[in-house]
Structure formats: structure tokens, C-alpha cells
Amino acid sequence: MNWNSFTRNTYVNKELDFTLDYSLMGASEPFFSEMEPRLQEALKAMIELEGGAIANPDEDRMVGHYWLRAPHKAPSPDLEKAIQKNLADIEEFAGKVHRGEIAGAGGKFEHLLVIGIGGSALGPQFVAPTLGQPGEDRMEVHFFDNTDPDGIDLTLAHLRGELDKTLAVVISKSGGTPETRNGMLEAIQAYMTEGIEFARQAVAITGEGSKLDQVAESEGWLARFPMWDWVGGRTSELAGVGLFPAALQGLEIRGMLEGAAAMDTLTLTPETRDNPAAILALLWYHATNGKGERDMVILPYKDRLMLFSKYLQQLIMESLGKEKDLDGKVVHQGIAVYGNKGSTDQHAYVQQLREGVNNFFATFIEVKKDREGASIEVEDGITSGDYLHAFLLGTRAALAEMDRPSLTISIDEVNARTVGMLIALYERAVGFYASLVNINAYHQPGVEAGKKAAAGFLKLQGQLMEHLSSNKGTFSTVAEIASALKAEDQAVTLYKLLEHAIANPSKGITKKQADKGFDATYGMA
Ligand code: PA5
């Protein structure tokens, strides 16, 4: 760590109070020069994307999350108006809720239940605790982000007796995601149990004409907000998906948009070393050899940013983790992302980072302001915040000593503007990196494959239940059932389905144990 190398390899932006120190990444000048033409190509592609080019060829759609924070950049006046109207509508709706003009059966709404998954949940899940202030927030935000009945019950346990003051927002761009549909049905049941009509307390954020949109319209939900096809799920935090919950919580949504817009402008700077997203993308390339050979470890030294790594995990891995490149060549691209927070992680996996397999690069996030107000001294002249800062410096130095690369992003404090900046920085870096490795960052064929496979298993479960129900009193082994269903190649799946049914007695299946583990028989009495 030397001063000259630090000053040559650190980007500082005084206006945004933002610094990116890449002096410990080991990237030399020749690397930057060699990559410069490719980076300029990536920048050109990004400018075309912002101009409305079809940047997601598989889905034949534009990629326009940048317009959300700079509507005048949208490729048509209609789109510009739609973005502005949506923002105004969200603010108006939130205002009415806060003033009690839109209320629940039990009076003013105090809770918000967000029902969504993946890109339709992770943004709000990151932002709500990052910018929220318990006791001061206008509403408390809760999530159903899975089809796990126990997880749903856990969330409902916080809302028991309060559902008449709970506004529900169902978020799904496609409007047909099974986990979200199930969450919605579970919510309807829970509201019904407390004698509340769900539709009177529900809002939908979805694509126009989607299944969800149709349900919300026909049942007369409180409101419907659009989710445009040109905004991808994982880049939708600054669309209605993220802005609606944030506005209801009482967060400064305009501040987030301004921070993002400022970063968007900055990250179109053609001079590579003055463009922090270009620097990031190039260093990811350098660290991973452009093939994901190292994992990205995100280490924010600030509890509020704990979920940033989870948010980035989706943004980066769903965008970059692709089998084929844009020419159809099999490339198996991606960068694995994980992390939590410092210094907590120093008492967990940082041991391996320092001494174990050298297969990662770290990104430290330094937040200079410790807290609102003064701190006590935990030792002479030293505060808890000084300790946190020293631990960051210590881990950074310890990794460098062992030749483990790291980047350090510094911001003054966590607020709406800096959160918007960080989101926009990473969105842009992902776009640049995708161009450098020639992949489509804006589709997710792997997610679709998982959904299709699940649908196949549910169909088989239906056949299994029908078979057992029409053969009541007959007990058969897994192999016998598989043969009766002409599904011999599905015996393992049938075993899993039967065992799941046994653990959930309402399915009505009984198991007779045998001496040998897999010779048990199953049937309906
Ligand atoms: O980023 C994405 O595109 C995905 O993670 C989606 O957000 C996720 O699959 C949920 O999809 P939908 O919003 O259609 O319910």
C-alpha cells in the first residue's frame, strides 16, 4: 500500500462524496490500455441502450431503467409522461395513505405487506432497513417473498390482529409467478380469517393486462401501478417496485432517484479512469480473467448495508450467469457474489479469505459517518465507530499482505442519495461487464427452466394423488407406484413427493414402514 499507487488508482468525486480505491487490485496500466477499445465499445452499446435500442435481443425489448431517474432520456414523449405520471401517482397515493384518506377496515394503515419475489422483492427488502428508522417510519414493511408456508406464518405472526391496518401490495411484472400468486392467496385467506376483504386493502404493481392486473381490475383493488416490459425485475428498485414501498414507508424517493441520476451521468463519462462503473467492470474482468474465476465478496462496514450483498447477488448473478454468449457460443459466464457485513464477518469467513483458497476479490464499503450525534469513548479517545473503521483498515491490509485483491468504495453516509448512487453504479457496471464478455445481461433463461421443471413435478404429484385415491386401501412400494404410473424413470421424484406428503398429514397418505428403508409402502386408507 503506497501513497503514489493509491493516488494513481483512486477515483474521487467530491460532488458526490464518493471514492473508489482500486489500488489493491493489482491492475497495471498496460491492462487498462489493452482493454480500452473494448471498454469504448461497451460504452457505445450503453449509449445505444439508453437511446432505446433493443438491448435484450432474446426478449426483443428495450432496457430502460435509466429513464426512470431521467425521464427526459426516454425514447418517446409518451414514455416520458408515463414515468412522470407513475411517480406522481405513487406520491399521491402514499400521501393519501399517510393522511388516512385511504385507510383499512381498522383505520389508518400502519403496515405494508409486500408480496413478490426475486427482482420484485429484493430491492425493497434491501432499501427498507437500509433507509428506514424504526419508530419514525410512516409504515412498517413486511414481506412474503417465498411459497414457504412456515415463512408466510412467520410474517403473519407480526401482523396478527393488525391486518385491518395492513395495506398489501402484490408485485409481479409477469403477473404469473407462482410463488407470488401463492403468497397472494395465502394473504387473502389470512385477511378473510380476520373478516377483512383483501381487495379493499390491496394494490397491484404489474404488467398491463397480466393475470394479476386482470384480477386486481375485476376485483376492484385500491390501485394498480404499471410495471413496464422495458424494466427488468432486478433493475426495478427505482421503478414502482421499489418506489411504492419506499414512499409508503416515508423514505425520500426523490433523493434515491437524484442519486441514481447523478451516478448515471457520471458513468457515461468516456474517460475510463473518470468513470467509476467502467473502472469496476474492468477490474471485475481483471480479477476474474473475464471468466468468473474469482468470487466477489461484498463487505460493507455498516449494519444498514447488510442486505446490499444479497441485493447485488441477484443483480450480478442473474444478469451475468449465462450459458451462452450473444453469438450463441457456450461460455458459462458469471461471477459468484456473497457477503454480509464487517466487522461481523471477520469472526466468520474472513479467516478463509485471509489464509485459505485465494479465489475471490473483496469489495469493502466504507461509510465515513459513524452515527447521528456523538459517541461514547469505549477506550481513551476511541469510539465504537473508530473500532469499526480500524477493523476495515485492518482486514484490507491483512488481505493485501496475502496478495488477495480488494476494492474500497467510500461514501460519507448512508442516505437516500447514496443508496440511489450505489444501485446505479452497480447496474451500470453489470451492463459494461456484460458487454466486455459479450453476453445478454437482461434476460434470465435459467429462471424459466426452474419454473418449467417445477410445473412438471406438480403435474406428476397430481397423477400420484389420483392413483392413490382411486386405489384406496392398497399399499405399494415406490417402485410399484412408479410402474403403475408408467413413470419408472421418475421413481426418485415419486419417493420425494410421497415423503413430503407423509410429513403433511392433510394429504391423507399413510406409510407402512418396512425392515429395509426403501421398501416401505404408501397408500390412502
Ligand atoms: O430479475 C428478474 O427478472 C427476476 O428475478 C424476477 O424479478 C422474478 O422472477 C419475479 O418475476 P415477476 O416480477 O414476473 O413475478
Side-chain angles (χ1 to χ4, degrees):
M1 279 194 264
N2 102 13
W3 178 246
N4 282 342
S5 158
F6 170 75
T7 52
R8 266 202 318 275
N9 294 294
T10 297
Y11 167 81
V12 183
N13 189 305
K14 288 201 196 89
E15 212 178 305
L16 298 185
D17 298 323
F18 170 88
T19 304
L20 172 61
D21 166 3
Y22 52 102
S23 60
L24 299 177
M25 284 298 279
S28 60
E29 192 51 53
F31 166 76
F32 283 99
S33 317
E34 194 189 309
M35 293 298 285
E36 183 60 16
R38 288 168 70 181
L39 196 271
Q40 291 304 324
E41 279 300 308
L43 190 63
K44 199 169 140 235
M46 188 59 76
I47 291 165
E48 282 165 14
L49 175 149
E50 277 210 3
I54 300 294
N56 180 352
D58 300 32
E59 295 174 5
D60 191 28
R61 63 174 177 86
M62 303 185 290
V63 173
H65 46 274
Y66 299 106
W67 312 329
L68 299 168
R69 41 265 192 164
H72 64 276
K73 286 189 178 172
S76 78
D78 283 354
L79 279 188
E80 181 180 348
K81 266 191 230 142
I83 297 166
Q84 277 159 344
K85 180 177 180 316
N86 189 43
L87 181 59
D89 287 350
I90 287 174
E91 288 179 323
E92 192 191 338
F93 187 91
K96 285 185 177 164
V97 168
H98 294 157
R99 292 189 297 274
E101 291 160 28
I102 297 177
K108 217 167 166 177
F109 284 123
E110 290 174 9
H111 302 273
L112 178 69
L113 173 61
V114 177
I115 305 171
I117 195 166
S120 289
L122 280 157
Q125 279 174 319
F126 158 52
V127 166
T130 299
L131 294 178
Q133 199 56 46
E136 287 177 22
D137 289 344
R138 306 298 295 258
M139 288 170 82
E140 207 180 313
V141 191
H142 311 259
F143 294 90
F144 280 3
D145 71 341
N146 198 358
T147 183
D148 173 12
D150 179 53
I152 289 170
D153 290 346
L154 277 176
T155 301
L156 286 175
H158 292 286
L159 295 170
R160 204 158 288 137
E162 297 280 309
L163 286 174
D164 58 355
K165 288 182 229 142
T166 302
L167 176 68
V169 56
V170 185
I171 308 181
S172 175
K173 177 176 163 179
S174 62
T177 300
E179 292 93 330
T180 304
R181 194 272 322 254
N182 297 355
M184 177 187 78
L185 295 176
E186 294 264 3
I188 291 173
Q189 179 61 42
Y191 276 74
M192 226 159 69
T193 310
E194 294 196 12
I196 304 153
E197 196 189 332
F198 182 75
R200 307 258 53 84
Q201 299 195 183
V203 170
I205 300 180
T206 188
E208 199 185 336
S210 75
K211 266 193 213 162
L212 171 60
D213 195 38
Q214 290 171 30
V215 170
E217 187 181 21
S218 67
E219 293 181 358
W221 290 18
L222 282 176
R224 292 177 293 136
F225 293 91
M227 180 62 185
W228 300 291
D229 76 332
W230 42 267
V231 180
R234 53 195 172 274
T235 52
S236 64
E237 172 47 30
L238 297 172
V241 172
L243 296 181
F244 182 87
L248 269 287
Q249 193 183 343
L251 307 180
E252 277 180 51
I253 59 173
R254 297 260 173 185
M256 283 201 282
L257 289 166
E258 277 161 27
M263 186 56 82
D264 288 345
T265 305
L266 183 62
T267 54
L268 281 185
T269 305
E271 288 79 25
T272 302
R273 300 279 198 135
D274 289 334
N275 180 332
I279 297 171
L280 269 190
L282 284 174
L283 292 170
W284 295 354
Y285 191 99
H286 181 264
T288 69
N289 203 14
K291 294 182 193 142
E293 286 173 6
R294 277 177 187 271
D295 300 343
M296 184 187 307
V297 183
I298 306 288
L299 274 167
Y301 276 65
K302 186 56 74 185
D303 288 1
R304 279 185 183 274
L305 290 175
M306 188 172 80
L307 292 181
F308 192 44
S309 54
K310 199 172 159 195
Y311 173 78
L312 289 183
Q313 190 172 57
Q314 192 221 12
L315 174 65
I316 295 171
M317 295 180 75
E318 203 167 88
S319 301
L320 301 181
K322 300 292 156 69
E323 181 190 11
K324 292 185 181 155
D325 69 9
L326 282 165
D327 304 319
K329 199 170 122 212
V330 173
V331 286
H332 294 298
Q333 270 293 352
I335 302 178
V337 180
Y338 64 94
N340 179 41
K341 64 180 167 106
S343 70
T344 314
D345 291 350
Q346 284 177 224
H347 301 266
Y349 61 81
V350 170
Q351 163 64 28
Q352 174 171 321
L353 300 190
R354 162 90 166 111
E355 295 184 352
V357 54
N358 190 353
N359 65 347
F360 70 94
F361 65 100
T363 304
F364 291 96
I365 301 180
E366 176 188 25
V367 180
K368 293 181 210 157
K369 181 173 170 178
D370 288 341
R371 59 152 50 112
E372 291 301 334
S375 288
I376 57 156
E377 292 185 0
V378 290
E379 284 170 24
D380 251 4
I382 298 191
T383 64
S384 310
D386 295 334
Y387 256 101
L388 185 70
H389 191 236
F391 280 132
L392 184 158
L393 296 176
T395 301
R396 204 174 102 96
L399 293 185
E401 235 171 65
M402 296 292 274
D403 266 339
R404 276 116 215 264
S406 72
L407 290 156
T408 303
I409 290 174
S410 307
I411 52 174
D412 273 16
E413 63 176 59
V414 177
N415 58 33
R417 192 177 66 111
T418 50
V419 165
M421 275 163 45
L422 287 175
I423 290 172
L425 171 71
Y426 275 87
E427 283 176 354
R428 189 76 95 190
V430 164
F432 284 151
Y433 185 86
S435 282
L436 292 178
V437 299
N438 190 34
I439 56 154
N440 179 355
Y442 306 107
H443 67 168
Q444 51 284 325
V447 179
E448 306 309 322
K451 285 185 192 172
K452 269 192 204 144
F457 293 138
L458 288 171
K459 191 169 163 215
L460 184 64
Q461 178 176 314
Q463 291 163 355
L464 169 66
M465 295 305 284
E466 201 185 312
H467 170 76
L468 295 180
S469 149
S470 45
N471 290 282
K472 280 203 171 119
T474 307
F475 280 74
S476 318
T477 62
V478 171
E480 286 162 353
I481 294 171
S483 153
L485 289 173
K486 297 199 179 9
E488 286 85 351
D489 58 340
Q490 297 281 3
V492 175
T493 306
L494 286 166
Y495 169 73
K496 293 271 180 206
L497 293 172
L498 286 162
E499 287 292 312
H500 178 242
I502 294 300
N504 293 282
S506 60
K507 298 258 178 227
I509 299 182
T510 310
K511 175 180 179 180
K512 289 188 181 166
Q513 294 290 358
D515 292 342
K516 283 204 266 157
F518 296 106
D519 288 344
T521 56
Y522 303 82
M524 280 186 184

